[in-house]
Amino acid sequence: MIIIGFDSEYVRRGDVNELISYQFAIKTESKLQTGIFYPTAGQRWTLSTLLEKVIQAGRKEKTLDHVWPDEIYLVAHFSRADVAMLADYKKLSRELDNLRGSYATLGRPLKQILYDDSRNKHTVKVHLRDTVTISPAGTSLAALGELLGQPKIALPAGAIEAMDKLLVKDKNLFESYAIRDAEIAAVYAWKLAEFNRDEGLTFQIPITLGSLAVKIVEDLWGANSVNKLEVLGKETTKKLSYTSKGYRTEKKDVYLQPVFLHEALATECYHGGRNEAYHFGPTDDDWWTDIDLSGAYFTAMAAIRMPDWNKLFVSNDVKAFTADVLGVANVSFEFPDDCLYPCLPVRTDNGLIFPLEGKSNCGSPEIALALILGAKVEVLHGVIVPWASEVRPFELFSKKVRDRRKAFEKGSIFEKTWKEIGNSLYGKVAQGLREKRVFDTRNNEGALLPPSTVTQPYLAAYITSIVRAALGELLTRLPAGKINISATTDGFITNATLKELDLTGSLCTFFADQAQRLTGKRTMIEVKHVVPQVICMKTRGQLTVGVLDYELKPIKAKAGVQVPKDALKDGDSHKEHSENDWMLELFLTRTPETTVLTRQLTSMRDMHLKDEELVMIEREKKIGLEFDWKRELIDPEMKFVGQVIGGESYKHIACGSKPHRTVEDFQMVRQQFDEWRKTNTLRTLADWEDWVAFRERKTLKAKGGTTGHGDLEGQCKRQFLRAFANNDQGIKDCTYADLATWITSVGYTTTPDDVKNAKRASAGGTDWAKINDPKVRDLLEAIGTRYVWPKV
């Protein structure tokens, strides 16, 4: 195998990226050769020209033998940036595949016609790979270099943006830096090919670690006589078709008829993780623990036995849907009013919510938990798939991943690779179940992400249901006086200690059983962080307050905000804490007009359809750090933020929460709050009162209870004046002028004309005594000192 690491250096000039150099690294079984080329200023080479020069350089140094290769792997880190610097980019881009916003060859390799120095023609197959997609998630090229013992070369501040000047000033530093990027890509790709070979697979570079996970599990099934089609509920069909070359038999794997008939229900029962914020604002000073279910999806997959798809049956017996049953159902439900953490998911445009009543498409583990929590559940349409045997097809994979991770040093490159492989398989089982559009580079149009070869909606729904149910049970069994402030997929933040958590519930017991099967231990939770105070902004938005010890890693979920580079000092060794503190100040000082600078690369679509260069586009964007109302906020109070931020001490509103009654309640409050926060932020109790009044006004107007003109206090006063002017309920006891004088004296400025005009106001049907608005309550109290109004 021949691997060529490939990289380019360029600088932005006006609207064009001007190429400076191409650099390469040739990796073979025994040799590694690096080099750099400087095309004429203003020129770019075609891929064929570049490959010709690299191969000739390799032959000259005897890294490659005299026989021209007929197949090579071309590897880059974020290949889109480097392919775009080739002269024939426009043509190449139609022959490459879009893989997570970069380029690769997923099926057909590129065919390149190359010429040697004697003008002999050679056809070479080129497989393009991107190290971004074949390394553990979030691993930068610098991190890969560290793992390989080949760290990236450090550059002075500002050099990246002016590489042309660095070349003139220090050519050796420029070349060392530029070449190292190509070298890291080549060496890592070679090690991954060796990894494949050592695991009994083919000696080649996978497309993604997810595809490698699929290959590993399929090989394990083959070696252990596990029939893949039986696992997935499929059968092979044959279709005879006629072509110009004669008859041809096409084979296709399709779902068995019983599986197909209920596929839509199973797909609707597949959801992501439980992501909710249960608190808004700062917590009390305490110790807050960030807890995860250990290897959540990885462990849940071990619960799957061999399904007997042909014996699939419809059942409306709610008690048949237990945690160890492969079942999916559409249900109606109603939880007790005091249930703090209902567990049946309802999908909305704003993600999953968990209301007290409604209808849900869900898996059997969540139904089992709902019954434990005292919910009334009716199965409207349910499907159960019996187990055919005790063979656990995914347990084979899970055990191999666990054993192989243990064989490597924790944190080493292959230990991390195995961890990523283990985490990737679940995603492949669920791939394509939720509509996700990607840009098809070969056809220059949007396309749906297709299913993988192991996609199975029933199994994906069951796996995720186990995780949500186990997490949900942990939340419901928190000790008295302890609270939870957020849940994210497979973890939550609480002031309960590890020892205080109750793991004896049936769902947690079921999860621990699976953990024991894999590891021999019943350990099902692990601690990620422990901090003294937390600010919860929204789902996936939590920050740490009061950490003085830099060894204590902060809880830092940024809710999608990009922290600017200037928030960090050069050489900042405490990046996590610096980012956390910058986010704290942003949240505590935010206004409706607060913006942050976002940085985003030119989209692949725009590069293809608009011929745009790959550049970093900077835009100012309004922040979205207000609560997302997946739950109803309650019990507002002001709390101190236990850390000086930007030289200031702060207090901020803090609220607990309760579940919404229905999904319609959520949708209404979310719509109202989105309108209110256009000109407001929820930072103080005064803000809370303003929001409550706004909400009451909008809700009453929607129900036809008020006119909606002016604030509620003003509307209430007009209704009282109308009642007086028309002597409704017999309360007229003086002249308009006398009433105006009196009501003004108690704090509500009014003229005789106001009373006169109110006589013509519409009657209105609002029960003002029930309005949840402090200003309305104050007005009614003032009126009540002289009049009984409104009369019940």
Side-chain angles (χ1 to χ4, degrees):
M1 179 189 291
I2 297 172
I3 293 176
I4 298 176
F6 159 54
D7 187 51
S8 59
E9 293 296 340
Y10 54 89
V11 66
R12 186 74 174 169
R13 296 200 191 282
D15 296 330
V16 178
N17 292 330
E18 184 175 299
L19 179 73
I20 300 173
S21 64
Y22 296 116
Q23 38 279 346
F24 68 90
I26 305 172
K27 182 72 181 81
T28 64
E29 183 74 44
S30 59
K31 296 180 180 179
L32 174 66
Q33 177 186 344
T34 61
I36 190 166
F37 299 116
Y38 295 98
T40 303
Q43 290 187 354
R44 299 180 185 183
W45 290 349
T46 63
L47 177 60
S48 59
T49 299
L50 177 60
L51 292 177
E52 286 170 357
K53 292 184 180 295
V54 172
I55 292 172
Q56 292 286 29
R59 295 177 72 201
K60 182 178 180 180
E61 296 295 326
K62 300 190 181 328
T63 303
L64 303 176
D65 59 31
H66 69 283
V67 178
W68 269 67
D70 56 11
E71 187 173 31
I72 62 172
Y73 279 88
L74 185 64
V75 184
H77 192 81
F78 190 54
S79 60
R80 179 154 64 106
D82 301 308
V83 171
M85 294 309 298
L86 295 167
D88 53 344
Y89 164 68
K90 195 165 185 178
K91 175 178 177 295
L92 289 171
S93 66
R94 296 291 298 272
E95 299 172 359
L96 297 171
D97 298 290
N98 175 4
L99 185 61
R100 300 181 193 170
S102 196
Y103 290 116
T105 49
L106 302 185
R108 294 168 289 175
L110 288 171
K111 286 188 177 180
Q112 292 288 295
I113 305 299
L114 308 181
Y115 293 88
D116 58 29
D117 289 346
S118 301
R119 300 303 297 164
N120 296 311
K121 185 168 73 171
H122 306 274
T123 301
V124 179
K125 293 180 181 179
V126 179
H127 302 274
L128 180 62
R129 296 290 184 266
D130 193 323
T131 53
V132 172
T133 68
I134 56 176
S135 55
T139 305
S140 64
L141 191 64
L144 276 184
E146 293 292 338
L147 289 170
L148 293 169
Q150 295 172 295
K152 278 177 66 75
I153 306 298
L155 292 181
I160 294 292
E161 293 77 21
M163 292 298 284
D164 53 338
K165 295 180 181 178
L166 178 64
L167 176 60
V168 173
K169 183 178 180 180
D170 192 337
K171 185 176 182 180
N172 288 335
L173 179 59
F174 174 92
E175 293 190 345
S176 297
Y177 174 88
I179 290 172
R180 178 56 58 88
D181 286 3
E183 183 180 5
I184 293 171
V187 172
Y188 176 72
W190 186 273
K191 283 190 173 292
L192 198 57
E194 290 180 327
F195 175 92
N196 261 24
R197 180 188 60 196
D198 294 345
E199 297 302 330
L201 305 175
T202 54
F203 185 59
Q204 61 183 23
I205 307 169
I207 296 170
T208 65
L209 292 185
S211 67
L212 181 54
V214 171
K215 178 62 176 172
I216 289 171
V217 76
E218 289 177 339
D219 279 12
L220 280 171
W221 288 344
N224 289 274
S225 301
V226 174
N227 187 306
K228 174 183 172 181
L229 296 182
E230 290 180 6
V231 175
L232 303 178
K234 291 185 173 183
E235 62 182 346
T236 301
T237 60
K238 296 179 181 180
K239 180 181 179 182
L240 196 64
S241 60
Y242 183 77
T243 69
S244 58
K245 296 181 180 180
Y247 286 99
R248 182 178 67 179
T249 300
E250 295 181 11
K251 293 183 178 181
K252 185 179 181 181
D253 294 339
V254 299
Y255 286 122
L256 296 166
Q257 186 67 6
V259 179
F260 171 75
L261 287 175
H262 304 282
E263 179 188 0
L265 172 63
T267 300
E268 286 302 307
C269 290
Y270 164 68
H271 310 289
R274 180 165 188 159
N275 298 302
E276 291 179 298
Y278 305 101
H279 180 89
F280 178 64
T283 63
D284 289 329
D285 288 333
D286 203 339
W287 286 106
W288 297 87
T289 306
D290 186 4
I291 294 171
D292 266 6
L293 290 173
S294 300
Y297 294 99
F298 182 78
T299 302
M301 291 175 69
I304 295 172
R305 288 165 267 178
M306 283 297 295
D308 194 340
W309 298 104
N310 284 309
K311 292 185 179 179
L312 175 154
F313 64 93
V314 173
S315 174
N316 291 345
D317 180 4
V318 68
K319 293 182 180 179
F321 289 82
T322 58
D324 62 346
V325 165
L326 176 54
V328 292
N330 171 247
V331 303
S332 63
F333 62 89
E334 182 178 356
F335 286 87
D337 291 344
D338 61 353
C339 181
L340 191 56
Y341 300 105
C343 66
L344 294 178
V346 178
R347 195 180 307 142
T348 73
D349 291 340
N350 302 106
L352 291 183
I353 70 161
F354 296 82
L356 287 170
E357 63 180 80
K359 291 183 179 179
S360 172
N361 296 305
C362 53
S364 49
E366 290 162 299
I367 295 175
L369 178 59
L371 294 178
I372 292 171
L373 297 181
K376 298 176 183 177
V377 182
E378 180 185 358
V379 177
L380 304 177
H381 182 69
V383 174
I384 290 176
V385 184
W387 301 122
S389 72
E390 289 300 311
V391 173
R392 299 180 184 244
F394 292 98
E395 186 179 72
L396 296 168
F397 171 81
S398 297
K399 283 187 173 181
K400 175 159 186 171
V401 171
R402 177 182 62 86
D403 292 342
R404 297 304 292 138
R405 283 187 67 186
K406 289 173 63 177
F408 296 99
E409 181 182 352
K410 187 172 178 61
S412 65
I413 190 166
F414 285 156
E415 190 273 337
K416 287 192 170 186
T417 299
W418 270 113
K419 181 179 180 180
E420 184 72 13
I421 289 170
N423 292 336
S424 297
L425 185 58
Y426 151 70
K428 287 296 182 180
V429 174
Q431 182 174 308
L433 296 182
R434 286 281 162 266
E435 184 174 299
K436 181 179 180 180
R437 300 196 71 82
V438 295
F439 185 71
D440 182 349
T441 51
R442 292 184 184 268
N443 297 307
N444 271 358
E445 61 185 16
L448 291 177
L449 180 69
S452 78
T453 59
V454 293
T455 295
Q456 218 303 325
Y458 295 78
L459 301 184
Y462 182 57
I463 292 166
T464 57
S465 183
I466 290 173
V467 175
R468 288 192 302 272
L471 179 63
E473 187 177 68
L474 279 170
L475 300 181
T476 64
R477 298 171 78 92
L478 287 174
K482 300 296 182 179
I483 66 170
N484 168 53
I485 63 170
S486 72
T488 305
T489 308
D490 56 358
F492 62 104
I493 302 171
T494 178
N495 60 346
T497 65
L498 208 58
K499 290 182 179 180
E500 291 175 319
L501 295 180
D502 184 350
L503 309 180
T504 62
S506 60
L507 274 300
C508 286
T509 299
F510 178 70
F511 189 90
D513 289 343
Q514 314 316 316
Q516 187 170 31
R517 292 186 63 87
L518 292 178
T519 66
K521 300 178 182 179
R522 299 186 65 76
T523 304
M524 60 172 290
I525 55 177
E526 59 185 350
V527 174
K528 292 176 63 180
H529 311 90
V530 179
V531 299
Q533 189 182 21
V534 178
I535 279 183
C536 184
M537 302 175 285
K538 59 190 296 188
T539 302
R540 296 184 181 273
Q542 291 81 40
L543 301 170
T544 298
V545 178
V547 173
L548 300 178
D549 183 357
Y550 285 129
E551 296 302 315
L552 196 63
K553 189 176 181 181
I555 293 173
K556 176 175 63 68
K558 299 180 288 187
V561 173
Q562 295 179 7
V563 178
K565 289 182 178 180
D566 59 12
L568 308 176
K569 298 177 182 178
D570 292 338
D572 191 341
S573 59
H574 308 299
K575 178 182 176 182
E576 293 290 311
H577 296 84
S578 296
E579 287 191 342
N580 180 82
D581 291 351
W582 184 88
M583 284 291 304
L584 280 174
E585 186 168 4
L586 178 71
F587 177 71
L588 294 170
T589 61
R590 72 194 187 282
T591 72
E593 302 304 318
T594 299
T595 62
V596 292
L597 186 68
T598 63
R599 305 174 76 246
Q600 187 174 15
L601 289 170
T602 308
S603 70
M604 186 173 280
R605 176 185 292 273
D606 286 346
M607 290 179 69
H608 275 246
L609 301 182
K610 299 180 182 179
D611 291 330
E612 292 186 3
E613 291 268 27
L614 180 66
V615 297
M616 188 65 73
I617 302 170
E618 296 185 344
R619 292 191 179 97
E620 289 289 336
K621 178 183 177 182
K622 287 188 177 181
I623 60 170
L625 299 182
E626 299 300 319
F627 192 67
D628 49 35
W629 289 91
K630 287 187 175 183
R631 288 168 63 91
E632 178 76 31
L633 289 182
I634 58 173
D635 303 330
E637 60 178 315
M638 295 299 291
K639 286 188 178 179
F640 279 105
V641 177
Q643 180 177 333
V644 175
I645 305 294
E648 298 286 338
S649 295
Y650 289 90
K651 292 179 74 175
H652 192 283
I653 195 171
C655 304
S657 72
K658 64 179 182 179
H660 291 290
R661 168 60 57 185
T662 66
V663 67
E664 291 77 18
D665 289 343
F666 160 70
Q667 290 167 334
M668 176 176 285
V669 70
R670 175 63 183 251
Q671 183 180 23
Q672 291 170 347
F673 191 75
D674 283 346
E675 183 178 350
W676 180 82
R677 71 189 180 113
K678 290 178 181 178
T679 55
N680 299 275
T681 54
L682 189 53
R683 293 171 50 187
T684 67
L685 289 177
D687 296 329
W688 176 267
E689 291 181 358
D690 186 73
W691 151 242
V692 168
F694 178 90
R695 181 181 181 183
E696 286 282 359
R697 187 166 70 250
K698 289 293 182 180
T699 302
L700 287 169
K701 184 178 180 181
K703 294 178 179 179
T706 66
T707 63
H709 302 302
D711 60 22
L712 289 178
E713 179 190 70
Q715 293 187 57
C716 181
K717 191 180 84 167
R718 283 199 301 274
Q719 289 298 310
F720 168 70
L721 297 180
R722 180 192 182 281
F724 179 91
N726 289 286
N727 199 23
D728 291 347
Q729 303 178 3
I731 61 173
K732 186 175 180 181
D733 63 346
C734 61
T735 66
Y736 290 175
D738 288 340
L739 179 70
T741 299
W742 171 78
I743 200 168
T744 298
S745 71
V746 295
Y748 299 91
T749 302
T750 305
T751 67
D753 283 344
D754 291 336
V755 185
K756 180 180 178 180
N757 293 334
K759 187 173 185 177
R760 297 189 295 272
S762 57
T766 303
D767 186 350
W768 291 104
K770 294 182 179 180
I771 298 302
N772 182 25
D773 181 276
K775 291 183 178 180
V776 170
R777 289 197 298 270
D778 290 344
L779 173 60
L780 292 179
E781 186 176 340
I783 292 172
T785 63
R786 179 167 173 174
Y787 297 98
V788 179
W789 183 86
K791 291 184 178 179
V792 179

